[in-house]
Amino acid sequence: MDDVMNTESVESLKNPDNDFGVLRPSKYYSRKTIIIIATMVCFLSVTVCLVVFLPIIFCFIIPTARLQGEHLALKKNVSSPISVANNENYNPIDTVDKIVPIPEYARRTLLDPATWLDKTDFNTTFTDVMVGNLSIMGLCDAYDDTVQANPSVPPLNKPFPYGEVPIRGVNLGGWLSIEPFITPSYFRINNGSQYLLHDELSLHNYLQENASRIIEEHYSTFVTKRTFEEVREAGLDHVRITFPYWILHKDLNATNVSGIGWRYLLRAIEWARSQGLRVNLDLHAAPGNQNSWNHGGYLNQLNWLVGPEGNENADRTLKIHEQLSTFFSQERYKNVVTIYGLLNEPNSFLIDPQLINSWHKKAYKIVRSAIPGAIISISDGFRGPGDWDKEYDPFHFPNVLIDAHRYTIFNDFLIALPYEDKFNIVCNSWKEEVEQKAKLPTIVGEWSLADTDCAEFLNNVGEGARWDGTFSPNGNVECCPSRKDCTCSTANADPGSYTAEYRKVLYNFASAQIETFDKTWGWFYWNWDTEDATQWSYKKSRAAGLLPELAYKTDRAFNCSMLETSFMSRLD
């Protein structure tokens, strides 16, 4: 038995194929056979991997990782934008879009570029990133802050010497916040006996399902990239961009226009940057309407700080500033958005000024906590630029800028003054006011060369003018200097038909105001452009020779020391 077992189980052999003299079975596979079998097993394993796993990797895992990587990169670029300041070939708007699928939840929303009327200079790569609960969709990562608006001011990446060099700017009014006298064509709708529309929100409601398309067409065409190039060519260095709350939040009484204007505001800031223009952001209409005027929302509505939802709407406005200040605290905006306006013209005639001041202080603290170095603009509410240091002492409220608006045509007394007296008010009374009474830094955020209130719909849709006695609230009293035979035909005519004397008066009236307002922190003309009203359009008035060719040139044909000349009295 032992011999049999020993013979059939194993045998010890010294074999050329077994150099180490190991024991192995008497019946065994050759080395060649084992190699072939192993090779076949490996081949089959690789084949299975290729057939089963590669489709999973390339169809699902890699695309998902790529999308996640782009999403994280975009988030990183929001807080740490790409700087291309030294690239002389840089195009400030990167129009190369990545192909990123639009998720189903974002389709047919404001985040879906397929719904956008205008894609010019927008980044259409999808992102749902929000800052301050406001979308960055449409923004390009790259930007250039080395641009200089003109030789009189520093480039964007250098501090502007506020208080030493005056701001010379214009308002982009009537664009994101539509006003009847700037674009009267939208408001000439009547039923034969009366006009039907009096403000932008009633226009939205009237347009119904067409509102979104028509209002976006206005956003797309009234202010364009060329607008900012022209502003720069005029020798200006700042733009005041006015906007209403409904470009951020849907108004319960309005249509789905709400929200569309936000991306246009962001694009406008980038266009301003590309021309070296600094931006003064101005919230022009608050929930409930802060002044009851047509540019504050619904005409004759005053439901902010007062009224049934006054406190609620005032709080909503504070929350809007929480969002806006968080968004504009991003690094990319520190050199271009340099002035932050809290609210345009709250009506201190109808709202207790102390309530307004209290609200301003709350809003100031919100913005200041998000943007510590911000210059924060506060409207004087037509109370004048003096004594504001008692409310906003510089120690507790640093970087406050008082915004005063100056016109001579919305007051029965001022509009009726002879031209020489109007010049004296500008050159002497207003000069004294800004030089001696203003205790805090002050700008003149709105003014114009208009010497009448004759522009169509200036005093509300369907309302006439003080100048020619067609303004009903003052009893239809004629208010031109002669007080008789007053007509708006001259002021409303094509400027090419103006007499040489009238043209000279308007140019000198503008020059006098510029000279006086240059003694403040600066000024913003109202407005850059209009459909028809030349005297309210910086662009049209400059083209007609009624404004200096270059705003920063101070060697003008008239200055306030020339008031003794008699050219003004010839038109009285």
Side-chain angles (χ1 to χ4, degrees):
M1 177 68 70
D2 291 341
D3 291 340
V4 173
M5 289 295 296
N6 188 46
T7 302
E8 292 186 358
S9 58
V10 292
E11 56 183 2
S12 181
L13 298 173
K14 186 69 174 177
N15 189 288
D17 293 331
N18 188 7
D19 294 334
F20 298 101
V22 297
L23 292 175
R24 60 185 176 183
S26 58
K27 295 180 180 179
Y28 63 90
Y29 296 105
S30 68
R31 182 179 183 183
K32 182 177 181 180
T33 302
I34 293 173
I35 292 174
I36 291 173
I37 294 172
T39 302
M40 291 178 66
V41 170
C42 290
F43 176 77
L44 289 173
S45 300
V46 171
T47 302
V48 170
C49 288
L50 291 174
V51 172
V52 176
F53 293 108
L54 282 184
I56 296 174
I57 293 171
F58 284 98
C59 292
F60 298 100
I61 297 176
I62 291 178
T64 302
R66 182 183 296 118
L67 286 176
Q68 290 177 343
E70 290 174 351
H71 189 71
L72 290 173
L74 184 56
K75 283 186 175 180
K76 180 179 179 181
N77 286 335
V78 171
S79 57
S80 301
I82 298 171
S83 176
V84 289
N86 296 321
N87 183 358
E88 61 184 14
N89 297 317
Y90 163 65
N91 183 347
I93 300 294
D94 176 13
T95 57
V96 179
D97 295 335
K98 302 173 184 177
I99 300 175
V100 177
I102 305 295
E104 186 59 35
Y105 73 84
R107 293 186 184 277
R108 297 170 297 281
T109 73
L110 293 174
L111 297 179
D112 185 354
T115 67
W116 299 0
L117 175 68
D118 181 358
K119 298 184 182 69
T120 305
D121 290 346
F122 282 121
N123 181 355
T124 58
T125 303
F126 173 77
T127 177
D128 58 4
V129 171
M130 310 281 274
V131 179
N133 203 31
L134 294 170
S135 174
I136 70 165
M137 182 67 186
L139 275 179
C140 298
D141 293 333
Y143 59 87
D144 180 10
D145 281 351
T146 65
V147 187
Q148 183 178 14
N150 61 65
S152 71
V153 297
L156 293 177
N157 59 359
K158 304 293 183 183
F160 191 94
Y162 290 111
E164 299 175 17
V165 174
I167 295 166
R168 297 178 174 106
V170 287
N171 283 274
L172 297 183
W175 174 46
L176 296 176
S177 185
I178 298 175
E179 298 195 28
F181 92 93
I182 295 177
T183 53
S185 63
Y186 289 122
F187 298 90
R188 292 179 181 136
I189 300 168
N190 63 71
N191 61 8
S193 61
Q194 62 182 359
Y195 288 96
L196 302 180
L197 308 177
H198 299 276
D199 49 63
E200 182 179 348
L201 292 181
S202 63
L203 173 63
H204 292 184
N205 291 329
Y206 176 82
L207 294 173
Q208 297 183 9
E209 69 271 9
N210 296 316
S212 178
R213 175 182 57 82
I214 291 174
I215 299 302
E216 187 171 2
E217 285 177 355
H218 171 73
Y219 292 161
S220 176
T221 57
F222 191 72
V223 169
T224 66
K225 187 175 186 177
R226 180 62 185 147
T227 300
F228 294 89
E229 295 170 350
E230 292 173 335
V231 169
R232 183 186 189 182
E233 290 166 3
L236 298 159
D237 47 64
H238 281 66
V239 288
R240 181 174 179 249
I241 303 180
T242 65
F243 63 95
Y245 73 92
W246 55 82
I247 73 167
L248 310 177
H249 296 278
K250 184 171 179 60
D251 183 82
L252 297 179
N253 298 311
T255 65
N256 60 355
V257 168
S258 304
I260 293 175
W262 174 247
R263 64 176 176 269
Y264 284 89
L265 172 61
L266 298 186
R267 183 177 67 174
I269 293 171
E270 297 308 315
W271 279 344
R273 187 200 306 273
S274 72
Q275 300 302 312
L277 301 170
R278 292 168 171 85
V279 174
N280 174 0
L281 283 180
D282 181 76
L283 180 59
H284 220 62
N289 194 337
Q290 74 277 11
N291 52 36
S292 80
W293 300 318
N294 61 34
H295 52 73
Y298 286 106
L299 177 66
N300 295 327
Q301 179 190 64
L302 186 62
N303 199 9
W304 184 86
L305 281 180
V306 295
E309 292 98 26
N311 290 330
E312 178 184 346
N313 285 326
D315 289 341
R316 285 180 64 196
T317 313
L318 293 177
K319 292 184 183 302
I320 287 171
H321 279 304
E322 288 179 4
Q323 291 184 270
L324 288 169
S325 59
T326 299
F327 189 92
F328 290 110
S329 68
Q330 295 177 75
E331 180 72 12
R332 69 181 295 141
Y333 293 112
K334 72 173 184 179
N335 293 328
V336 64
V337 178
T338 56
I339 301 175
Y340 190 107
L342 295 181
L343 189 60
N344 179 67
E345 297 178 350
N347 194 334
S348 61
F349 303 115
L350 300 178
I351 304 174
D352 183 350
Q354 288 307 312
L355 288 178
I356 298 175
N357 286 337
S358 177
W359 182 89
H360 274 146
K361 290 175 182 178
K362 293 176 184 177
Y364 171 93
K365 291 178 180 178
I366 289 171
V367 177
R368 180 80 175 170
S369 65
I371 317 173
I375 297 172
I376 300 175
S377 172
I378 296 177
S379 171
D380 73 345
F382 300 103
R383 294 161 61 194
D387 297 330
W388 286 100
D389 58 316
K390 296 177 182 177
E391 288 291 343
Y392 307 100
D393 67 276
F395 180 79
H396 294 98
F397 297 93
N399 289 350
V400 164
L401 181 63
I402 301 301
D403 181 6
H405 299 172
R406 286 291 174 266
Y407 299 107
T408 62
I409 49 90
F410 294 117
N411 176 286
D412 290 356
F413 171 75
L414 291 177
I415 196 173
L417 290 174
Y419 285 105
E420 186 171 359
D421 289 343
K422 290 179 181 175
F423 274 73
N424 273 312
I425 285 176
V426 171
C427 291
N428 295 319
S429 299
W430 286 0
K431 177 184 177 183
E432 178 184 355
E433 186 178 47
V434 298
E435 283 190 328
Q436 299 179 25
K437 295 181 180 180
K439 301 298 193 298
L440 293 179
T442 301
I443 57 170
V444 178
E446 295 183 19
W447 68 279
S448 95
L449 62 79
D451 66 326
T452 76
D453 63 338
C454 288
E456 182 182 16
F457 300 159
L458 179 64
N459 295 308
N460 288 327
V461 175
E463 189 56 81
R466 296 170 183 80
W467 184 266
D468 67 355
T470 58
F471 183 63
S472 58
N474 75 343
N476 299 105
V477 175
E478 291 181 287
C479 289
C480 70
S482 66
R483 297 283 186 174
K484 62 180 181 178
D485 300 325
C486 303
T487 176
C488 282
S489 59
T490 300
N492 288 342
D494 184 286
S497 67
Y498 290 174
T499 66
E501 285 184 323
Y502 187 45
R503 183 184 301 275
K504 186 176 182 180
V505 163
L506 292 177
Y507 178 90
N508 291 347
F509 190 46
S511 296
Q513 292 182 82
I514 291 173
E515 179 182 336
T516 295
F517 301 154
D518 271 353
K519 299 181 187 304
T520 70
W521 267 33
W523 48 265
F524 292 85
Y525 191 90
W526 187 273
N527 191 42
W528 171 249
D529 205 7
T530 62
E531 285 181 341
D532 304 314
T534 294
Q535 294 179 17
W536 292 91
S537 166
Y538 197 102
K539 176 181 177 178
K540 290 180 171 63
S541 293
R542 176 174 176 263
L546 306 179
L547 283 166
E549 181 66 20
L550 292 173
Y552 61 86
K553 294 288 188 180
T554 57
D555 53 343
R556 292 180 279 272
F558 175 84
N559 61 67
C560 286
S561 66
M562 300 165 63
L563 281 178
E564 298 303 319
T565 59
S566 61
F567 75 92
M568 280 98 54
S569 61
R570 299 173 192 170
L571 290 178
D572 290 344

